[in-house]
Amino acid sequence: MSASAKKRKGRATGAPESSGHVAAAAGKTPAAAERVRPRLFLIAGPEAGEGEAAEKALAEALAGGDVAAVLLLPGDADEAQFQRRAEGLVPVAQAAGAAAILAGDTRAVGRTRADGIHADVDSEDFAALLESLHPDRIVGAGGIRERHHAMQAAEQGADYVFFGLLDLVPEDEAHPKTIALAGWWADVFEVPCVALAGAAIASVTGVALTGADFVAVRQAVWSHPDGPRAAVAEANRLIDEAFASADGLR
């Protein structure tokens, strides 16, 4: 087993960086001895809007508090449409200090100067993505349904593993399997993990308590009754509370 998949002595440090370089939170440095507060990982699909409306909504969300990374999803858009959308959103994310990651489109990553790509670990070209994009860009592994998929991604050199399926209709709470996988991974492995919260903002608490390095939020932000800025602020408050609660039990 490679060093990236060995049992860790502490929590992973840092976060993906918007510079495009894979940093400590991408599993490239030894884990810190102390626990580290989870950070938000914002997902923006079609529900975030289109065109200038999407750019405004993303900027508003990022003004709400700490966000480590933004994952842009194409939805039903074709390659050209997704690239145009990313051209507007990538600079918004990066200007706020968040890494901009695109789902599955290597050409759009290069053309928009995004910081990385998110791809299914079982895709035939995952290894090729790692070879072509490392070390300058982040390569994250999604589509993980079983433990061995996550370990495979870590062995290959993925910068993070993502627990939660993006194509499922979300429930208010995080999926039980997501919670189980994140808790297992956080206690054992050094490569950072991202765990997907549910459609209700309150679900952030349960995900943060797993020890995941990043808490992914999607519908909980874009459908929040008080808007995306309030949603991100609330999500960060819930992470703070969960982290303090878990720290007090040590």
Side-chain angles (χ1 to χ4, degrees):
M1 183 173 288
S2 69
S4 65
K6 290 179 181 177
K7 186 170 182 178
R8 69 164 105 189
K9 295 181 180 179
R11 300 289 296 118
T13 59
E17 293 186 345
S18 59
S19 65
H21 296 287
V22 180
K28 296 301 182 185
T29 62
E34 70 278 0
R35 291 176 63 254
V36 175
R37 176 192 180 278
R39 300 184 67 194
L40 280 183
F41 186 101
L42 180 59
I43 300 173
E47 66 278 355
E50 297 295 336
E52 292 184 2
E55 294 165 26
K56 181 179 179 181
L58 180 58
E60 183 182 349
L62 294 170
D66 178 59
V67 175
V70 178
L71 171 60
L72 304 180
L73 305 181
D76 295 328
D78 62 26
E79 184 176 311
Q81 291 170 332
F82 183 46
Q83 181 177 318
R84 285 195 297 271
R85 186 166 185 267
E87 285 170 350
L89 295 176
V90 165
V92 175
Q94 292 174 337
I101 301 171
L102 307 189
D105 191 332
T106 54
R107 282 180 287 193
V109 167
R111 292 167 181 169
T112 65
R113 299 185 179 181
D115 300 293
I117 191 166
H118 178 95
D120 283 357
V121 68
D122 60 356
S123 64
E124 294 181 359
D125 58 352
F126 189 77
L129 287 175
L130 289 163
E131 184 176 351
S132 65
L133 295 178
H134 274 177
D136 296 321
R137 287 188 166 94
I138 298 162
V139 179
I144 294 171
R145 290 172 168 80
E146 303 295 340
R147 290 184 176 191
H148 71 272
H149 292 147
M151 291 188 287
Q152 174 188 339
E155 287 285 352
Q156 289 181 296
D159 296 308
Y160 66 80
V161 294
F162 186 101
F163 298 123
L165 299 180
L166 295 170
D167 55 354
L168 291 182
V169 176
E171 301 289 341
D172 282 349
E173 296 298 322
H175 195 284
K177 192 167 187 177
T178 297
I179 296 293
L181 285 170
W184 158 71
W185 187 269
D187 284 340
V188 179
F189 297 97
E190 185 174 300
V191 173
C193 75
V194 185
L196 179 62
I201 199 73
S203 66
V204 165
T205 297
V207 176
L209 287 172
T210 66
D213 302 278
F214 304 100
V215 178
V217 285
R218 186 177 178 181
Q219 289 86 353
V221 168
W222 309 116
S223 64
H224 195 282
D226 295 325
R229 180 171 184 159
V232 167
E234 185 174 355
N236 272 293
R237 177 182 62 79
L238 293 170
I239 289 175
D240 286 339
E241 291 176 354
F243 183 68
S245 173
D247 203 42
L249 295 174
R250 294 180 68 195

